[in-house]
Amino acid sequence: MTNAPAPLPIQLQPIEDESGLGFILRVFYANGFSTTSGRRQLGIKSWRSLTLEDVFVLSLITQTPPDWLTLRLMIRSAQFPEHFQYFGHTFRSQAAKPNMNAKICPDCVREKRWCHRAWIIPGAVVCPIHLRCLIDTCNRCGRTITWGRPAVDVCTCGSYLSDSDGNLTKSDRKVISWSKWLDTRLRQQTLTDSAADGLVPRLLDQLTIDGATAVVCAFGIRDHPTSPLNPNDVRSQPCDFLFQVLKRGLARLWSIDGRPQDARRWSEYVYAPILERLRRNGVSVSDRNSASLLLSFTASRSHPSNGGRYNRGQLDLFDQR
């Protein structure tokens, strides 16, 4: 396929709500090879750094309209290499991490055998269809779920992806509303629909998905002012950890919604480096201005466990560059 890509013998009908990588995984599996071997045969460097040229090749072999596939793949910006585009939204470079590791809803992959568009973005922890927590590790082997797995519902170890006892189903209304908000923003529908239940802080409606996720994580990453921040906690249980981060962050932001000056009460909890980088590198003016405003009310107090200095360089999942 490297020299002259030709349409694959087995073609599948794309599903409107699925992600581009999920569609590629389905098509490759139907034709008898994995996304890893297919990527190598096509000469694609990495799923984390897709270009428009890569999308053209994928569109050709899958017989899918280029515009449809371009919208649904995380593609590096040619003008700003540190930015990625997904469903018409701009994300910073950290958003490409899910293009290596995957999150899934066991109910969706069992019932529908496809991957929802929202699962791939940072901050997604709940399936917008089944309203249950996503998983990112295999229950059988304990390995991280990747896009190199042989099928949508099968781990690289050969086991079907499922829960052990269903204990990952959570019922926090704010996190569920946040997940619906993320999916609504991806579809670019009106924000009044996404926040109709009033559980998503209104200040987030003014930010990009990337900026809103950063702000929520900055406010929720500490469960206590003196809590140590251990990057290994994130890497070992990212979905479960992130669920708790989002739960705390949304609750704290809701307590100050419409009154940014009240953010002072959370000064000792806020992880300022996330807001600092958002202020410098946010993908929109609104993101940068909001980070600057929140820092003006929260950065006056340094974290007590670090001798007056921020813990820079930690927590790769949230500390976006």
Side-chain angles (χ1 to χ4, degrees):
M1 288 189 293
T2 302
N3 295 328
L8 294 170
I10 300 177
Q11 299 293 326
L12 300 181
Q13 186 68 27
I15 299 170
E16 187 64 23
D17 292 340
E18 73 179 322
S19 68
L21 267 181
F23 173 68
I24 297 299
L25 175 57
R26 288 200 301 121
V27 174
F28 281 13
Y29 171 70
N31 284 274
F33 51 89
S34 69
T35 54
T36 301
S37 61
R39 175 182 60 78
R40 291 170 180 166
Q41 292 181 61
L42 292 168
I44 295 175
K45 182 179 179 181
S46 171
W47 295 118
R48 290 186 62 177
S49 57
L50 289 173
T51 64
L52 289 177
E53 290 76 13
D54 296 330
V55 177
F56 175 79
V57 173
L58 292 168
S59 174
L60 180 63
I61 67 170
T62 61
Q63 294 291 281
T64 308
D67 291 345
W68 186 92
L69 201 54
T70 299
L71 190 67
R72 289 163 174 78
L73 288 170
M74 192 79 72
I75 300 175
R76 186 182 296 274
S77 169
Q79 185 177 5
F80 302 101
E82 69 279 10
H83 290 170
F84 288 78
Q85 296 291 320
Y86 185 64
F87 272 87
H89 296 268
T90 302
F91 296 85
R92 287 173 292 167
S93 59
Q94 198 66 24
K97 271 198 170 183
N99 277 19
M100 297 297 291
N101 300 331
K103 297 173 286 187
I104 67 154
C105 166
D107 295 337
C108 277
V109 298
R110 182 179 62 252
E111 298 169 5
K112 302 175 181 293
R113 297 179 64 83
W114 57 271
C115 300
H116 195 276
R117 61 179 166 240
W119 300 350
I120 200 171
I121 61 175
V125 294
V126 171
C127 173
I129 297 176
H130 293 96
L131 306 183
R132 49 140 308 141
C133 199
L134 304 177
I135 64 171
D136 50 19
T137 56
C138 174
N139 174 51
R140 293 294 181 88
C141 69
R143 297 174 187 168
T144 300
I145 301 171
T146 72
W147 289 104
R149 63 191 190 271
V152 170
D153 57 346
V154 178
C155 176
T156 52
C157 72
S159 301
Y160 284 102
L161 295 167
S162 63
D163 288 343
S164 56
D165 54 11
N167 62 352
L168 284 177
T169 301
K170 301 180 185 295
S171 57
D172 184 83
R173 292 180 61 201
K174 288 186 174 64
V175 180
I176 289 175
S177 294
W178 161 259
S179 297
K180 292 180 179 178
W181 182 91
L182 287 177
D183 189 42
T184 300
R185 290 294 300 270
L186 273 185
R187 290 183 283 118
Q188 299 180 338
Q189 293 185 2
T190 59
L191 293 177
T192 52
D193 291 340
S194 67
D197 56 14
L199 296 179
V200 175
R202 290 167 295 177
L203 65 90
L204 300 181
D205 288 342
Q206 311 306 315
L207 308 180
T208 66
I209 295 176
D210 182 84
T213 303
V215 169
V216 175
C217 289
F219 272 76
I221 209 163
R222 297 187 192 276
D223 60 352
H224 188 273
T226 59
S227 297
L229 297 179
N230 184 356
N232 292 326
D233 291 341
V234 182
R235 297 190 183 103
S236 61
Q237 293 290 342
C239 266
D240 193 52
F241 183 91
L242 182 55
F243 186 97
Q244 298 302 325
V245 169
L246 293 172
K247 182 178 178 179
R248 291 191 296 264
L250 290 167
R252 291 167 184 172
L253 286 168
W254 179 247
S255 74
I256 65 169
D257 201 26
R259 303 177 305 277
Q261 66 275 14
D262 289 353
R264 293 188 182 95
R265 75 175 72 168
W266 302 112
S267 295
E268 293 182 344
Y269 292 84
V270 172
Y271 189 66
I274 296 178
L275 295 180
E276 289 177 334
R277 287 192 171 86
L278 186 62
R279 177 174 60 181
R280 293 196 306 268
N281 306 323
V283 299
S284 75
V285 173
S286 180
D287 286 359
R288 296 190 291 273
N289 288 345
S290 295
S292 181
L293 178 64
L294 291 171
L295 278 169
S296 70
F297 293 117
T298 61
S300 58
R301 302 180 190 177
S302 58
H303 192 262
S305 67
N306 198 35
R309 299 183 301 278
Y310 298 130
N311 294 311
R312 299 181 185 275
Q314 294 186 357
L315 295 166
D316 295 339
L317 182 61
F318 309 120
D319 208 355
Q320 303 188 19
R321 288 173 173 80

